[in-house]
Amino acid sequence: MNQQQMAVLHHGAVHGVTGSCHELRLNDAGILIDCGLFQGKDQRDDLSIDFAIDHIKALVVTHVHIDHVGRLPYLLSAGFKGPIYCSQPTALLLPAMLEDALKIGFTRNKKLINKVLKLLKQRLRPLAYGEWQPVANTDISIRLQRAGHILGSAYVECEAQGARVVFSGDLGAAHSPLLMAPASPEACDVLVLESTYGDKNHDSRIDRRLRLKSAIEHALADGGTLLIPAFSLGRTQDLLYEIESFIKEFGNDAAAPGLPWQELEVVVDSPLAANFTRLYRKLKPFWNNEAKARLKEGRHPLSFEQLTVINSHQDHLKAVQYMVRSHKPFVVLAGSGMCTGGRVVNYLKALLEDRRNDVLFVGYQAEGTPGRDILQYGPRFDIGADPSADKDSRGEEGWVVLDGTRFTIRAKIHQVSGYSAHAGQDDLIRFATDITPAPKQIRLIHGEDQAKAILQQKLIAALPDTEVVIP
């Protein structure tokens, strides 16, 4: 690869796990892969595009999580006029995600939001998986392959002048509910690889299902509410899929004292999650074989009898207060997944200081987010963990700041790691080492410093002829 003509540049997700935005430049033209929002400790007040875009001919979206697409409206307002390539499911999901993001962080002006969404839809160029697409006004062709992270997620193969550069986007863990697993690219000179979990592995599918079931049963044993902070897209649907399977398989067994699984009330309190769940149902052709088989059995993994969806803000406030007063067990899924905003914050304010309640984390909690603080400083009750480890460096009882107010964390805190939508360390290594011949270079991005450093050493040992760099 002629380094004087081709370059890989990083405009985000270099020193953390958010703000993904990368560029493949060939001579005087380039393409962007993602344009995401910075969150947690990386959060920025100024979201304007801080790099040159006159030479950018296209944007490729790997998937619709906000840390990969959140700056797209700012890219458009900065004058980007190229096509936006993505998978077919992503083309359906992206407008809903950006409409919500615009309302929260950009404007509530409906005319302006509709203008941005209309422009977005005009620029979208949905692509089928596995088919090469030349990028106009460049010598670059791209091909999307399944990434197994959320429905529609893709990694991006880029072909230019006989060299191939692969951008992983976010890769999924093996055996994820609903999703087909990713397969490694057939060839690659440079691999730009995410490293979110570069320092740890996840539970197996069997283990994580058992841990999730046990965590729910332990959490509900004292009649309180189990709150699960979950991203509206991906994690919520995965959890609903698994909970439906528990209700089907263990229907008459007790989920809580005197309450069989088949009578457990499950609440999704998020209009966005409800909308994405509806869109997921539209995307059944992209589900994996296991999920399709359940449909043939007449089951409804994302729309079962015990599920209640709360839409209006007024109903949300009533639900929060009812759960404070009630001693009836509930499972509540609410966003955001890292507790940085959304309806989950109201639940946390109301429930965290009551020992009857529980919080279950199933996904990554970035440094600097309330979710990380709750997980780190709350009284842990992981299955098989040492209960003497509850105390923390802040004293006998941990605390977290929500909307400027300090709340003591008395609710029990659980974690089931296997339901992360991200690949674990072994998954990442397998993705890289299954490429034949091995890449000449691997660039590690989208990870905290420790995760990248540990993954770097593992990859150097596994691929001694490959240069493994941390930009």
Side-chain angles (χ1 to χ4, degrees):
M1 191 167 77
N2 189 331
Q3 296 290 340
Q4 292 181 335
Q5 293 179 319
M6 185 181 291
V8 176
L9 307 173
H10 306 283
H11 304 300
V14 182
H15 302 295
V17 297
T18 65
S20 282
C21 186
H22 312 282
E23 177 185 344
L24 178 62
R25 186 180 298 179
L26 180 62
N27 299 322
D28 296 324
I31 63 172
L32 287 183
I33 289 81
D34 292 334
C35 195
L37 198 65
F38 293 94
Q39 298 172 296
K41 68 181 179 65
D42 303 318
Q43 185 171 338
R44 298 180 182 177
D45 292 328
D46 182 7
L47 298 177
S48 59
I49 302 301
D50 55 359
F51 53 89
I53 63 169
D54 290 347
H55 65 291
I56 300 296
K57 305 303 180 184
L59 169 68
V60 187
V61 172
T62 63
H63 67 287
V64 304
H65 277 151
I66 205 68
D67 62 324
H68 289 257
V69 299
R71 282 192 290 166
L72 207 163
Y74 297 87
L75 184 67
L76 293 173
S77 66
F80 170 71
K81 294 181 172 56
I84 300 171
Y85 294 107
C86 63
S87 72
Q88 293 164 335
T90 290
L92 180 64
L93 297 167
L94 184 56
M97 176 63 83
L98 284 183
E99 181 177 8
D100 184 74
L102 286 166
K103 289 176 182 176
I104 293 174
F106 194 80
T107 179
R108 287 194 173 272
N109 184 316
K110 289 186 178 180
K111 288 185 178 180
L112 182 56
I113 290 174
N114 290 336
K115 182 179 179 181
V116 172
L117 293 177
K118 181 179 179 180
L119 182 59
L120 170 71
K121 291 174 182 178
Q122 289 173 346
R123 301 284 183 81
L124 283 177
R125 302 290 185 272
L127 301 178
Y129 289 113
E131 296 183 5
W132 285 104
Q133 170 67 46
V135 178
N137 301 313
T138 75
D139 293 321
I140 301 170
S141 292
I142 62 171
R143 181 167 66 175
L144 304 183
Q145 303 284 16
R146 295 177 188 271
H149 178 62
I150 60 172
L151 272 185
S153 61
Y155 67 82
V156 186
E157 297 180 285
C158 304
E159 186 84 33
Q161 295 187 333
R164 188 169 297 183
V165 181
V166 173
F167 294 84
S168 73
D170 284 352
L171 296 173
H175 310 298
S176 295
L178 294 164
L179 303 178
M180 297 183 188
S184 299
E186 59 191 28
C188 175
D189 295 289
V190 176
L191 172 62
V192 182
L193 181 64
E194 69 119 323
S195 55
T196 311
Y197 283 100
D199 56 345
K200 64 185 68 173
N201 283 306
H202 302 312
D203 297 335
S204 70
R205 174 76 184 278
I206 293 174
D207 287 343
R208 71 191 182 209
R209 288 189 78 248
L210 290 174
R211 283 173 59 83
L212 177 63
K213 179 175 178 285
S214 295
I216 293 173
E217 290 170 346
H218 278 77
L220 298 178
D222 52 5
T225 295
L226 172 60
L227 177 63
I228 307 179
F231 291 107
S232 297
L233 176 58
R235 205 70 44 77
T236 292
Q237 292 76 33
D238 289 351
L239 290 168
L240 291 178
Y241 182 89
E242 293 290 53
I243 291 171
E244 187 273 344
S245 75
F246 298 152
I247 292 170
K248 176 69 174 178
E249 294 174 38
F250 306 101
N252 290 318
D253 295 347
L259 182 72
W261 273 98
Q262 62 188 7
E263 295 179 17
L264 175 64
E265 292 192 51
V266 180
V267 175
V268 171
D269 191 345
S270 167
L272 184 61
N275 189 28
F276 280 133
T277 302
R278 179 182 59 81
L279 293 174
Y280 254 54
R281 294 198 295 267
K282 279 190 173 183
L283 293 167
K284 289 172 185 174
F286 294 91
W287 290 14
N288 63 21
N289 291 334
E290 176 189 285
K292 290 177 181 177
R294 292 190 183 184
L295 293 173
K296 289 182 180 179
E297 294 173 12
R299 292 165 60 179
H300 302 280
L302 301 183
S303 180
F304 45 93
E305 183 180 349
Q306 296 82 358
L307 177 62
T308 298
V309 176
I310 296 175
N311 283 303
S312 77
H313 185 68
Q314 183 177 7
D315 287 344
H316 157 69
L317 295 177
K318 289 179 179 178
V320 172
Q321 291 307 310
Y322 178 74
M323 289 172 195
V324 170
R325 298 190 305 268
S326 170
H327 285 262
K328 183 179 178 181
F330 285 91
V331 173
V332 179
L333 287 76
S336 69
M338 297 185 193
C339 307
T340 52
R343 293 185 176 181
V344 74
V345 175
N346 285 334
Y347 281 103
L348 290 168
K349 291 177 182 178
L351 301 175
L352 266 185
E353 296 190 324
D354 187 337
R355 288 184 173 86
R356 290 186 309 111
N357 300 317
D358 298 73
V359 181
L360 171 61
F361 288 102
V362 293
Y364 184 79
Q365 302 300 310
E367 186 178 344
T369 61
R372 172 69 74 92
D373 285 345
I374 295 168
L375 186 60
Q376 183 172 354
Y377 300 117
R380 292 289 290 272
F381 196 81
D382 292 336
I383 306 301
D386 179 3
S388 66
D390 286 352
K391 296 178 183 179
D392 65 85
S393 59
R394 294 183 179 183
E396 286 291 330
E397 291 185 316
W399 49 268
V400 63
V401 174
L402 300 169
D403 289 341
T405 301
R406 175 169 156 167
F407 292 84
T408 301
I409 309 169
R410 297 192 181 100
K412 295 184 291 295
I413 309 304
H414 311 252
Q415 184 179 31
V416 177
S417 66
Y419 284 93
S420 169
H422 285 272
Q425 183 188 81
D426 286 348
D427 300 315
L428 294 169
I429 293 171
R430 189 179 306 111
F431 185 82
T433 56
D434 281 354
I435 302 171
T436 305
K440 297 181 178 67
Q441 183 185 78
I442 297 176
R443 303 174 69 85
L444 298 180
I445 47 87
H446 202 286
E448 293 181 2
D449 291 343
Q450 174 179 306
K452 286 186 289 192
I454 291 174
L455 183 60
Q456 181 185 41
Q457 294 308 310
K458 292 278 187 180
L459 287 170
I460 288 172
L463 299 169
D465 296 326
T466 299
E467 179 189 22
V468 184
V469 301
I470 298 175

